[in-house]
Amino acid sequence: MAKAKSTLKVVLPLLLGVGLVWYSLSKISIPTLIQYFKDADYTWIVLGVSLGILSHMSRAYRWLFMVEPLGFKPKFGNSLMGVYAAYLINFTIPRAGEVARATILKNYEDIPFDKGFGTIVAERIADTIMLLLIVCIAFFLEFEFIYTFFKGKFNSTSLVLVGVLMFLGALLLFLFIRKGRSKFALKVKGFVFGLLEGALSIFKMKKKWAFIGHTLFIWAMYVLMFYVTTFALPELQNITLAAILIGFILSSFSIAATNGGIGSFPEAVVIAFSLFGMADDPSRAFGWIVWSTQTLIIIVIGGLSLLYLPIYNRKKSIV
């Protein structure tokens, strides 16, 4: 039973990704998509890729602050190559990259697996909080647009009813987390308290402000990477801030839906941009351009990292 469950966790996201790739390419002809790639301004694409690399470098450096209190001083090179190797491995088996990264750090930096993996999980908690923060920022900055959009879809009575249901849902969730004793309730409770514990642990770090600064920088680079790449296509150069934020949020969530966002990333962009009346073809092409260029960099640097790690650490191996 456990083996079947593990297999499904690997196979289902992959099948979903393949299905979404087929769906996406059925909505835009391959010659049209290729033409968008040919006509794109690669100055902006290269800038977007560079911002993505800067975010990954900052992520690798940020992790050093987490292990320092544990008594370890790993090399930045090992941390950076561990990050890229993890991203690459996540394309094959979801979340296997985190395990691989902790294993790499154990092999080359003598950091116990449990401690290394614990810091990586804490990193993910910090990133989850940042993504939720961006969602809140988008909501407050574009409240009028969101309100107008839903008002156009529903009447005032429906909106009030939705608001009441959301409030009751939040109240029930609070009571469920507080009083629940089922296996699922305990998992939800563990997740919520894990987020809180992870957030509070940041403020106990010796270099907490440096950690917070790098976290803000990482996510600023993510958003900027997404934004500047829109200039590569003339059809998207008048895109609004609301479209950028909603597109970034949906595409970020799409990465968790399939292996590395394969198939789901372009379609998430189409869904977001269509809310703002943007044409499907350039939106879908943009999604494929962003996803494919960032994925190519991960494949190249991640593959080279796996090959170079033993060479980079050969002196340690000899000793």
Side-chain angles (χ1 to χ4, degrees), residues 90-291:
N90 274 337
F91 279 110
T92 57
I93 303 175
R95 300 305 164 205
E98 283 72 21
V99 175
R101 185 178 166 196
T103 303
I104 287 169
L105 296 168
K106 177 182 181 297
N107 291 338
Y108 296 116
E109 292 291 352
D110 296 324
I111 298 175
F113 178 85
D114 56 342
K115 291 184 178 181
F117 188 73
T119 58
I120 293 168
V121 171
E123 267 192 337
R124 290 301 184 188
I125 291 173
D127 290 329
T128 301
I129 292 170
M130 276 303 303
L131 183 55
L132 293 175
L133 180 61
I134 291 173
V135 171
C136 292
I137 291 172
F139 179 80
F140 284 110
L141 288 179
E142 302 300 333
F143 176 78
E144 186 176 350
F145 168 80
I146 295 170
Y147 177 77
T148 304
F149 173 78
F150 281 103
K151 189 176 181 181
K153 299 288 183 182
F154 308 98
N155 57 39
S156 299
T157 305
S158 298
L159 286 175
V160 171
L161 181 60
V162 169
V164 172
L165 289 174
M166 288 178 65
F167 173 76
L168 291 175
L171 182 61
L172 288 173
L173 179 62
F174 172 76
L175 294 174
F176 177 72
I177 292 173
R178 188 176 179 184
K179 303 291 186 180
R181 291 291 180 270
S182 68
K183 188 176 180 181
F184 177 71
L186 292 174
K187 281 188 177 181
V188 174
K189 186 185 296 186
F191 175 75
V192 172
F193 282 107
L195 281 178
L196 292 173
E197 186 179 359
L200 294 174
S201 68
I202 293 170
F203 293 95
K204 298 176 184 178
M205 293 171 56
K206 187 177 180 181
K207 296 181 179 178
K208 55 181 176 292
W209 296 115
F211 180 91
I212 293 171
H214 274 278
T215 301
L216 293 172
F217 179 81
I218 289 166
W219 284 87
M221 290 302 100
Y222 284 162
V223 176
L224 276 175
M225 175 272 294
F226 192 87
Y227 173 62
V228 301
T229 310
T230 62
F231 290 102
L233 298 180
E235 296 88 344
L236 300 180
Q237 289 188 8
N238 294 320
I239 194 167
T240 63
L241 174 62
I244 290 293
L245 290 175
I246 301 300
F248 174 78
I249 291 166
L250 289 187
S251 60
S252 296
F253 282 118
S254 76
I255 293 173
T258 60
N259 300 35
I262 182 170
S264 60
F265 190 101
E267 292 311 302
V269 172
V270 173
I271 292 170
F273 285 4
S274 65
L275 297 176
F276 301 86
M278 308 193 76
D280 284 359
D281 276 4
S283 300
R284 187 167 279 111
F286 168 78
W288 276 108
I289 287 171
V290 174
W291 181 83

Side-chain angles (χ1 to χ4, degrees), residues 3 41 220 224:
K3 188 176 180 181
D41 186 344
L224 276 175

